[in-house]
Amino acid sequence: MKKQAPDSPRNTPANLHSSDSRALVSRETVQAYLNAATSDSTRKAYRSAIRQFEKWGGRLPTDSETLVHYLLSRAESLNPRTLELHLTAIGQWHRYQGIANPVLEPLVQKTMNGIRRVHARPKQKAKALRLEHIDAMARHLRAQAESKKKYRDLALVLMGFFGVFRRGELVAIRVEDLTWEEEGLIVRLPRSKTDQTGQGLLRALPFGAKVVCPGTALRNWLDAAGIKEGSVFRAVNRWDQVQQKPLNAGAVNQLLKQLGSECGFDFVDNLSSHSFRRGLSTSAAREKVEFELIKKQGGWKSDATVWEYIEEGQRLTDNAATVLMEKLAALSEVD
């Protein structure tokens, strides 16, 4: 009887199990890095887009003919920019599955171009908060009865405006990210929309008059809430108790709309956290603040974006019609 050869080290059950484990860990690690390559908000938007396509009746993988039918069926009800997002999400799915991308087919692209031309709508822009709006909000909050929430909301408004923070950046700030200097406050943003690799961005907030100083307002909030570490902006319940969890990013928009309504603003529907960024940049432009200073404070990478805000802020103050009206007025006085 032929003697059975012992298992080689490569094929022993223990080694096979170890190999499977390594493969599993490797796949999980790769998946983790793939997930990190895309922001949570983008991934959420893509998932929502694909769910809507599947709810309509589409299946992945799909083909160009199905995509054209989908575009035609939704062209009247969805903004073209939303449809473009849906195509991007579907295209990304095919790309990462290693499947031919039907979104790139000429018929799909041509159909989308036609929809864009026929159904294009102006992009809804957040209302830019002016200095007088920030002043009204700050006065309204300071007039309220003593509470921790009052201090938090005032700090959030002043920090959001003068720091030109996005809502996700605001709620992500931790005590460990703050550096207090004699001249003001330095906030380190571990991650931002324009810094997805996590190199870190710094936002400087010089000290100013106490009633409008974001650094002073932040200190008052931290002292009132007893926050020594962790998240800076936190939820406050109805009993004015500060919670451990950070404030939800969506709560920033809700707060602005609530304050806008209480202050009697007639543009409440157009208020969002982006009102801080548009507001600081356009207000600075009206005060003739230099381009580079505006760009640096907002952390913008694109010069074109900054120039767009500057033009918006100065379109009524630096206007050819002003000179001509003054000349015409002078001629009228002569008559």
Side-chain angles (χ1 to χ4, degrees), residues 157-202:
V157 167
L158 294 178
M159 287 283 291
F161 182 79
F162 290 108
V164 209
F165 293 109
R166 298 177 177 87
R167 63 179 185 173
E169 296 168 348
L170 266 177
V171 299
I173 297 173
R174 297 174 62 84
V175 173
E176 294 78 8
D177 299 326
L178 306 177
T179 301
W180 298 93
E181 304 283 0
E182 289 185 12
E183 301 88 354
L185 170 66
I186 307 295
V187 181
R188 180 182 181 274
L189 299 175
R191 192 175 299 278
S192 172
K193 180 180 179 181
T194 55
D195 178 39
Q196 292 294 328
T197 57
Q199 297 180 29
L201 298 174
L202 299 179

Side-chain angles (χ1 to χ4, degrees), residues 270-299:
N270 293 326
L271 275 177
S272 74
S273 59
H274 197 62
S275 298
F276 287 140
R277 291 176 65 78
R278 294 186 69 85
L280 183 285
S281 54
T282 54
S283 295
R286 280 190 289 272
E287 299 301 322
K288 308 299 182 183
V289 176
E290 294 179 10
F291 168 87
E292 289 297 334
L293 292 179
I294 297 175
K295 181 181 178 182
K296 180 166 60 175
Q297 189 66 3

Side-chain angles (χ1 to χ4, degrees), residues 9 42 90 132 147 168 191 258 262 265 282 286 298 326:
T42 299
I90 293 168
E132 53 265 34
S147 71
R191 192 175 299 278
Q258 177 188 337
E262 292 172 354
F265 298 161
T282 54
R286 280 190 289 272
E326 290 174 352

